[in-house]
Amino acid sequence: HYVSDWTDAFRDGYSFSKTINATTWLYFSTLAPALALGVVLREETRGAIGPTEVLLAEGVGNMAFSLVAGSPLLILRVTGTAVAWTKILSGWFHGGGGVFAGEDFLAFHAAVGLWCAGFVIFIASVGGAGLMRHAGSFTHEILAALVSGIFIRSGVAEVVAAAAVTDEMDDAEVDEHPAFFLKHLMLFLGTFYVARAVLGFQRSPFLGKNTRTVIADMAPAISLVSLTLLSYAVSPDVGVKRANITDDTPMPRAQLGTSSLGNLSPSLAALAAVPGAAFAVQVFVESNAA
């Protein structure tokens, strides 16, 4: 059966087309959040974790999981709740008010991840997933609403930031860029509208069912690419705040050269078990409820 996991995609033309469609959809629906949340993480962790690390972790983690776990369609990626946890941990180490200011944040973050992995493995080994039968019927909806709320808040925050930039402009700058905020708002709303419209095409009477399904599966990619191109084509003289993916962030191997678990004191390594356990519960609920 393991071999068939790889050969079934080439069994016939329909299977191959569905594989290509699913791969493309997953690529864009995973890439966009990885870049967006990677930029957020870079800001929240003072550059310790950024888009480069997020993309590398998701790529390596998903390939390893697909090869050995027997469930290749389960996508492992950074979520809004994981970003919220990392933001809390970062606050303990960065800034004058951090309780562990001056300590190695990346080493502590790694320790939390190891504790979390250990707790999750333990929960799985004792059949903890069976506890989900006691969860309420709206557990998934509540969790989805929480994650959606985090993403929506992040998008709205960028639009609000554009409005704040406009407010800070002097009269000359406003005359030069009168549509700065409006362009950000239109791109924000347009991305949502195009994705919804393309997704709704699946219920359209036009074209065949398979063609409509392919187009609907490509909704995130079509929306992302089309609105990005539109941002360059329409009013190119009006600037748009674009994500700086690199921003001279050190590559992971360079960071690993200065950060290791050996930098942690035994007390901090043990203390990492507390947020590790809490994060394990969140991972357990999120993965099983979804």
Side-chain angles (χ1 to χ4, degrees):
H1 294 294
Y2 180 81
V3 175
S4 69
D5 287 344
W6 301 94
T7 59
D8 284 349
F10 307 98
R11 183 174 50 191
D12 51 50
Y14 178 77
S15 299
F16 182 72
S17 65
K18 292 297 291 183
T19 301
I20 296 299
N21 295 338
T23 301
T24 305
W25 181 85
L26 288 172
Y27 174 76
F28 281 99
S29 62
T30 303
L31 178 66
L35 295 179
L37 293 179
V39 172
V40 173
L41 280 172
R42 185 178 60 202
E43 296 174 355
E44 298 294 348
T45 62
R46 312 291 178 87
I49 302 174
T52 302
E53 289 78 11
V54 172
L55 288 173
L56 183 62
E58 291 190 2
V60 174
N62 278 289
M63 286 191 292
F65 191 90
S66 298
L67 288 171
V68 303
S71 180
L73 288 182
L74 179 59
I75 304 303
L76 306 175
R77 66 183 185 186
V78 176
T79 64
T81 49
V83 171
W85 272 104
T86 305
K87 178 181 178 179
I88 294 172
L89 293 180
S90 178
W92 293 357
F93 288 82
H94 297 131
V99 293
F100 303 125
E103 298 288 346
D104 193 331
F105 163 70
L106 283 177
F108 186 80
H109 189 269
V112 171
L114 291 175
W115 277 110
C116 174
F119 285 126
V120 170
I121 292 174
F122 172 76
I123 293 173
S125 65
V126 298
L131 295 174
M132 290 306 298
R133 68 177 182 271
H134 301 294
S137 58
F138 298 106
T139 302
H140 179 257
E141 286 76 6
I142 293 172
L143 182 62
L146 173 63
V147 175
S148 299
I150 293 174
F151 279 105
I152 293 172
R153 179 187 176 278
S154 177
V156 172
E158 291 297 324
V159 177
V160 173
V165 171
T166 304
D167 291 338
E168 295 172 359
M169 290 180 178
D170 56 33
D171 293 339
E173 290 175 320
V174 172
D175 291 338
E176 185 180 356
H177 305 287
F180 182 79
F181 166 70
L182 181 62
K183 188 172 183 178
H184 281 78
L185 179 62
M186 291 298 99
L187 291 173
F188 174 74
L189 297 176
T191 302
F192 171 75
Y193 176 78
V194 171
R196 291 284 298 178
V198 175
L199 184 62
F201 188 74
Q202 192 169 15
R203 298 185 295 273
S204 171
F206 302 103
L207 303 179
K209 179 180 178 181
N210 292 337
T211 304
R212 295 198 309 269
T213 300
V214 170
I215 295 175
D217 288 344
M218 297 287 290
I222 293 173
S223 176
L224 182 64
V225 173
S226 61
L227 268 296
T228 299
L229 294 176
L230 193 64
S231 71
Y232 286 100
V234 177
S235 300
D237 56 318
V238 179
V240 173
K241 181 183 177 183
R242 304 188 188 277
N244 188 348
I245 302 303
T246 56
D247 195 29
D248 298 326
T249 301
M251 288 296 290
R253 62 173 178 267
Q255 296 192 37
L256 290 175
T258 58
S259 297
S260 67
L261 291 174
N263 294 342
L264 280 183
S265 64
S267 58
L268 268 182
L271 182 62
V274 178
F279 191 38
V281 172
Q282 182 264 316
V283 171
F284 167 73
V285 174
E286 187 174 12
S287 58
N288 282 279

